[in-house]
Amino acid sequence: MSLLKTVAVSNNNIQLPSTPGKFKPEKYQPYNHFMIHRLRLSKLTLWSSIFLAFILFFFILSPPSPSPSPATNTRQSWGGHHWEKRVTNSARTNSDSGLTVLVTGAAGFVGFHVSLSLKRRGDGVLGLDNFNRYYDQNLKRARQKVLSRAGVFVVEGDINDAALLRKLFDVVLFTHVMHLAAQAGVRYAMQNPHSYVHSNVAGFVNLLEVSKAANPQPAMVWASSSSVYGLNSKVPFSEKDRTDQPASLYAATKKAGEAIAHSYNHIYGLSITGLRFFTVYGPWGRPDMAYFFFTKDILKGKQITVFEGADGGTVARDFTYIDDIVTGCLGALDTAKRSTGSGGKKKGPAQFRIYNLGNTSPVAVSELVRILEKLLKVKAKKKVMAMPRNGDVQFTHANISRAHRELGYMPTTDLETGLTKFVKWYLDFYSPSRKKVAPSSSW
Ligand SMILES: O=C(O)[C@H]1O[C@H](OP(=O)(O)OP(=O)(O)OC[C@H]2O[C@@H](n3ccc(=O)[nH]c3=O)[C@H](O)[C@@H]2O)[C@H](O)[C@@H](O)[C@H]1O
């Protein structure tokens, strides 16, 4: 501004105001008007050049940022020497034969338990979780704190962030990936369909892309779902049964995941095992699941809605206790063969497996409520209504003979025993007097 002012004064003897727009010539002079116009233009040009130079300067200096994740924030919360040290410490095994496992969804229900069990037996475990807001983040943070105390670092990030995944694979040579990050819940898919595609399809493909390019490629074990059986009416559900009639978008994305996994196994030689979980429940569970919010609502004296099938038919689930699921997951990891490819190139056929992990003992939802009433010592205010068309299926029942034969899987917890442990945890965790996050017993 002062430079312009000086030039103008010396050349034309015109007083230019320091604030544009305040200048008023005493009388109209065409020459002066022309000069003022030119000066305004050159002033504009100078400022534009300075502005452009600034933008260029910052553009050249700024480092490339990781790809943004629409599910979470776009700020980079990873990287740096300290962060890498935490990553390597967490992934370090206690013995030469130990596994080095990346657990996605580690702050989720199943991921939390699997991570703890792996760490306790001496495997190296690195967690990854985007801490999204699908349900109470405090519960996820509480799980994270327990994991941290056990020596498991949970990296905060999304499976859609390829740069982050590549960085993790650069820093650690993972032998296995336990992929449990997903958008869960059958009924929520009608409210937020895109979150299912984002996590269960796009995120999964992203993880497979990075895994297939890794050298060595890890073996992958991942969570499919009993929901892939959809409208299948043949019981108990066997892995050989048809899975082409999903009843919800959630189920459709899990079925898509199985097909996608097969293609990566076929093309790139990735060793992949899919586990079809059957309504997993237990301590540190998911608040969006019926057993969890029934407990909360019964204690609050709120009405609960219990679905029944067409013509009053029973709605039932093969409820499976978390500890049984964890033994199934560890069995799958321990029996997984190595991937055959490296750096994105297949070197030979690789293992591809699918297993049911259920309890083989379906229980009616009305019975679940009866057990909760007994354990909580509170009568539920029940409203029985026909199951809405919301993606639910009426009945699930797992045939687990393949998992038993090949993984040594054998569930041992009946619903009442499992719910007793859940209710004990729930009352402790949500007790107003409880010191937040410190669990009273050893889950
Ligand atoms: O194994 C799976 O494949 C899935 O299991 C779980 O789904 P679901 O088996 O549907 O569990 P969940 O919602 O607890 O409903 C339990 C029962 O309560 C009935 N139910 C539900 C709500 C209600 O208000 N009333 C009711 O009667 C309802 O009709 C049902 O019969 C996981 O959430 C899912 O992510 C996936 O992993």
Side-chain angles (χ1 to χ4, degrees):
M1 183 70 73
S2 57
L3 178 72
L4 268 177
K5 200 169 168 178
T6 318
V7 172
V9 169
S10 60
N11 283 355
N12 307 303
N13 214 17
I14 296 168
Q15 286 286 313
L16 279 180
S18 57
T19 315
K22 282 193 179 163
F23 175 71
K24 279 187 193 137
E26 285 189 353
K27 62 178 184 194
Y28 178 67
Q29 291 175 322
Y31 174 77
N32 277 356
H33 181 76
F34 174 67
M35 288 309 297
I36 290 162
H37 186 66
R38 266 187 58 189
L39 280 165
R40 278 190 180 150
L41 267 181
S42 57
K43 202 160 111 182
L44 194 70
T45 313
L46 182 74
W47 279 109
S48 307
S49 312
I50 292 170
F51 182 66
L52 275 173
F54 255 92
I55 290 189
L56 262 171
F57 181 73
F58 282 114
F59 183 75
I60 289 163
L61 279 195
S62 61
S65 55
S67 51
S69 154
T72 49
N73 51 40
T74 53
R75 137 191 92 88
Q76 180 171 322
S77 58
W78 53 269
H81 176 69
H82 177 66
W83 178 86
E84 281 190 25
K85 216 166 159 203
R86 291 182 78 187
V87 166
T88 43
N89 284 345
S90 183
R92 189 166 296 125
T93 60
N94 276 355
S95 70
D96 289 345
S97 59
L99 315 181
T100 306
V101 190
L102 172 66
V103 180
T104 71
F109 173 36
V110 181
F112 165 76
H113 286 281
V114 169
S115 299
L116 274 184
S117 293
L118 289 170
K119 196 70 183 175
R120 279 180 189 149
R121 67 176 207 178
D123 293 318
V125 183
L126 179 71
L128 174 68
D129 205 292
N130 69 6
F131 292 90
N132 68 26
R133 292 173 192 278
Y134 170 58
Y135 62 78
D136 182 19
Q137 281 185 316
N138 292 330
L139 179 55
K140 296 180 188 186
R141 292 292 175 196
R143 293 184 190 128
Q144 182 189 25
K145 285 195 176 140
V146 176
L147 286 171
S148 172
R149 282 205 296 260
V152 177
F153 175 41
V154 182
V155 170
E156 199 156 340
D158 195 280
I159 50 171
N160 282 281
D161 187 342
L164 169 60
L165 293 184
R166 278 194 295 269
K167 179 73 181 172
L168 295 178
F169 277 82
D170 277 351
V171 175
V172 179
L173 298 182
F174 293 109
T175 58
H176 295 74
V177 173
M178 183 83 221
H179 174 46
L180 298 165
Q183 176 58 63
V186 174
R187 292 169 290 278
Y188 179 67
M190 291 175 75
Q191 284 173 54
N192 191 356
H194 296 295
S195 65
Y196 289 80
V197 178
H198 178 74
S199 293
N200 304 356
V201 180
F204 190 27
V205 170
N206 201 42
L207 180 63
L208 286 164
E209 275 293 310
V210 176
S211 301
K212 74 126 207 265
N215 200 357
Q217 288 176 339
M220 184 175 293
V221 177
W222 74 285
S224 181
S225 164
S226 73
S227 65
V228 299
Y229 291 107
L231 304 182
N232 175 47
S233 54
K234 180 183 157 289
V235 285
F237 300 161
S238 149
E239 292 89 345
K240 290 181 216 133
D241 292 342
R242 62 187 292 193
T243 53
D244 56 353
Q245 301 168 289
S248 65
L249 179 67
Y250 168 71
T253 59
K254 285 293 179 180
K255 177 62 191 166
E258 291 189 355
I260 290 165
H262 186 269
S263 71
Y264 274 79
N265 164 268
H266 175 68
I267 301 171
Y268 300 109
L270 270 176
S271 160
I272 305 185
T273 305
L275 303 174
R276 294 177 179 166
F277 295 161
F278 282 69
T279 315
V280 189
Y281 72 99
W284 296 94
R286 276 174 32 211
D288 64 313
M289 288 183 70
Y291 75 94
F292 199 116
F293 64 77
F294 281 176
T295 300
K296 183 174 162 211
D297 291 346
I298 291 171
L299 286 171
K300 281 191 173 166
K302 267 177 72 179
Q303 187 183 68
I304 60 167
T305 309
V306 181
F307 299 147
E308 63 176 19
D311 309 321
T314 304
V315 172
R317 286 289 179 276
D318 200 0
F319 295 101
T320 311
Y321 188 63
I322 183 65
D323 289 1
D324 292 323
I325 289 291
V326 170
T327 57
C329 292
L330 269 52
L333 287 167
D334 290 340
T335 53
K337 294 207 171 118
R338 283 171 188 231
S339 293
T340 64
S342 66
K345 294 233 160 47
K346 182 179 178 178
K347 303 258 168 64
Q351 190 180 43
F352 185 80
R353 307 180 294 173
I354 298 262
Y355 297 104
N356 286 340
L357 292 187
N359 199 44
T360 64
S361 161
V363 177
V365 176
S366 53
E367 175 64 5
L368 164 85
V369 175
R370 193 198 60 75
I371 298 171
L372 286 177
E373 287 178 321
K374 187 175 126 191
L375 295 171
L376 298 169
K377 301 184 183 66
V378 181
K379 191 98 189 111
K381 289 185 188 140
K382 279 178 284 187
K383 181 181 157 202
V384 179
M385 64 174 263
M387 203 167 71
R389 224 178 270 246
N390 55 13
D392 256 337
V393 295
Q394 194 171 332
F395 194 78
T396 63
H397 183 184
N399 173 337
I400 56 154
S401 28
R402 187 189 285 179
H404 178 55
R405 210 170 43 243
E406 297 177 19
L407 308 180
Y409 172 73
M410 185 45 74
T412 57
T413 317
D414 63 51
L415 186 60
E416 181 152 354
T417 308
L419 283 178
T420 306
K421 292 182 183 177
F422 165 72
V423 166
K424 184 173 180 296
W425 168 82
Y426 183 96
L427 295 176
D428 178 37
F429 188 78
Y430 291 105
S431 143
S433 60
R434 177 178 168 270
K435 265 218 233 135
K436 285 293 161 220
V437 174
S440 61
S441 51
S442 58
W443 283 296

